Amino acid sequence: MISTILKLKSFRTKKAMLICSYPRSGSTWIMEQINTYPNTIVNWEPLHVQKGVVPVSFFLGEKPLIPVDSKSSSYKRFFDCVFRFKNSNQWNTWYCGFKQAITAKYVITKFVRANNLLPWFVNTFDFEYKPIYLLRHPIPTALSVIKSFSNNASELMNFTMPKTLNNDRYHLHVDYINGLQTRLEQHVAIWCIDNIEIINHNDSNQWLSVYYENFILDPKTSLSHIFETWNLNYDMTKLETIDFKKPSRTVYDKNDLKSDANLHIESFLEKFDQDELQRIQDILDHFGVKNYTAFDAYPKC
């Protein structure tokens, strides 16, 4: 029923609201805050390899990259349909209620597989609202990825080339990743590979970089800043009714959440000694990451 309603809607790509982040970076939680804006509806992870809406014959893989100068009409048509919510199934309508589908005017599309599509997105589509690029410190992000998706967190990975569109960015680093000492270090290195080009990209002014830590510390100001940047009028009194401490649907262990924002952000530092943190800092230095350091829980930007 919801998919039928969505096909009848006339959403505009120009009005698309995009959130791009690395997995386990808090994107669902921030998406839920943005979804408090009237008449919004969520297109949930449409690029998921098994459950998303990518046609079987249309290979993208886990973390695709489309060159910024690509003029591919097939990619453009596909993503235009994604942004207008023309492709839907039970998975990507997970957040959609019947009433939302009826009243929606704006589509919030959330990706954890599209960071390296951002340059192509902004050079191919004329978005009225700058896409959000969400960053979280690589150590707690990697810890959460391991906890959520790894059967044996203590074993090293045998890292091989990911099966994804334009995976060249991994080629030079396979031996480096497999030479690291811990699974955490390997995941931090992969975080660097999947983010460094976007962090340093010449077109970075065309998207809105948002830091998870800043959002946790002051969610009202952070959410207001997003809507102000998008030039959208938001009822600021509504901010008082939002429970910013409520965990998102994808927080698997509610005990991980701390009532104190600083404790929530800083607690991972207690897990490591100075030598372990230095090895992680060496990885960040290797890839040229400057906006986070291993010894500080907060971004440098």
Side-chain angles (χ1 to χ4, degrees):
M1 176 64 77
I2 289 177
S3 291
T4 301
I5 294 171
L6 293 173
K7 285 183 179 179
L8 296 174
K9 301 286 287 189
S10 299
F11 298 119
R12 297 169 59 197
T13 295
K14 186 177 181 65
K15 298 284 187 180
M17 300 173 174
L18 308 187
I19 303 172
C20 297
S21 80
Y22 195 81
R24 310 306 300 165
S25 296
S27 58
T28 299
W29 180 72
I30 289 174
M31 176 206 76
E32 289 172 352
Q33 316 312 323
I34 295 172
N35 194 205
T36 63
Y37 190 80
N39 305 119
T40 54
I41 194 168
V42 170
N43 187 356
W44 168 265
E45 300 296 345
L47 302 188
H48 191 285
V49 175
Q50 286 81 36
K51 301 176 182 179
V53 297
V54 182
V56 175
S57 60
F58 200 85
F59 174 72
L60 289 179
E62 276 290 334
K63 299 172 185 175
L65 183 155
I66 300 175
V68 68
D69 57 354
S70 172
K71 303 300 182 184
S72 169
S73 58
S74 58
Y75 290 146
K76 184 175 182 179
R77 282 194 303 270
F78 170 71
F79 279 102
D80 182 61
C81 288
V82 167
F83 299 146
R84 293 188 295 117
F85 222 159
K86 293 302 180 186
N87 301 337
S88 62
N89 59 21
Q90 188 174 358
W91 167 260
N92 71 326
T93 57
W94 186 37
Y95 269 86
C96 301
F98 179 79
K99 183 178 179 180
Q100 272 190 315
I102 293 290
T103 62
K105 297 179 181 178
Y106 308 94
V107 179
I108 303 167
T109 303
K110 187 190 87 78
F111 300 104
V112 294
R113 296 168 177 83
N115 283 5
N116 284 280
L117 294 175
L118 263 175
W120 181 76
F121 282 165
V122 299
N123 280 279
T124 302
F125 299 98
D126 181 23
F127 297 121
E128 184 171 335
Y129 312 127
K130 284 186 177 183
I132 291 172
Y133 173 46
L134 175 64
L135 284 157
R136 184 186 183 187
H137 196 293
I139 297 178
T141 300
L143 286 170
S144 186
V145 168
I146 292 169
K147 187 173 184 178
S148 301
F149 306 121
S150 299
N151 294 326
N152 191 332
S154 62
E155 286 187 3
L156 286 170
M157 292 186 292
N158 178 23
F159 180 77
T160 57
M161 292 292 293
K163 295 179 180 179
T164 195
L165 181 68
N166 293 320
N167 63 359
D168 295 353
R169 63 189 182 278
Y170 299 101
H171 271 293
L172 295 176
H173 308 295
V174 173
D175 290 340
Y176 177 79
I177 293 172
N178 286 326
L180 296 171
Q181 295 186 32
T182 67
R183 195 180 190 96
L184 173 65
E185 292 173 16
Q186 290 179 314
H187 277 285
V188 168
I190 296 168
W191 182 98
C192 293
I193 294 169
D194 285 331
N195 283 286
I196 190 61
E197 293 298 326
I198 307 305
I199 292 170
N200 293 334
H201 203 280
N202 290 335
D203 292 334
S204 61
N205 64 328
Q206 295 191 51
W207 50 81
L208 179 61
S209 295
V210 174
Y211 287 89
Y212 171 82
E213 294 81 11
N214 294 340
F215 215 110
I216 286 286
L217 287 174
D218 192 351
K220 293 179 183 179
T221 299
S222 298
L223 186 58
S224 298
H225 175 65
I226 290 172
F227 291 131
E228 288 170 5
T229 301
W230 286 352
N231 199 27
L232 290 173
N233 294 321
Y234 186 81
D235 182 0
M236 294 305 170
T237 61
K238 194 170 184 178
L239 291 175
E240 303 304 322
T241 68
I242 300 174
D243 182 5
F244 288 107
K245 293 188 181 297
K246 180 181 178 181
S248 75
R249 288 193 196 181
T250 57
V251 173
Y252 302 133
D253 185 353
K254 311 304 181 190
N255 294 324
D256 279 351
L257 296 176
K258 314 295 183 184
S259 58
D260 179 84
N262 294 96
L263 181 59
H264 174 70
I265 294 168
E266 298 170 11
S267 59
F268 76 88
L269 290 171
E270 301 172 358
K271 302 177 186 291
F272 306 101
D273 60 34
Q274 292 298 297
D275 288 341
E276 291 172 313
L277 291 174
Q278 184 57 58
R279 292 204 306 271
I280 294 173
Q281 183 59 50
D282 291 343
I283 297 169
L284 300 180
D285 291 342
H286 176 83
F287 288 101
V289 173
K290 302 294 184 184
N291 51 345
Y292 284 108
T293 74
F295 299 96
D296 190 344
Y298 298 93
K300 299 302 179 186
C301 301

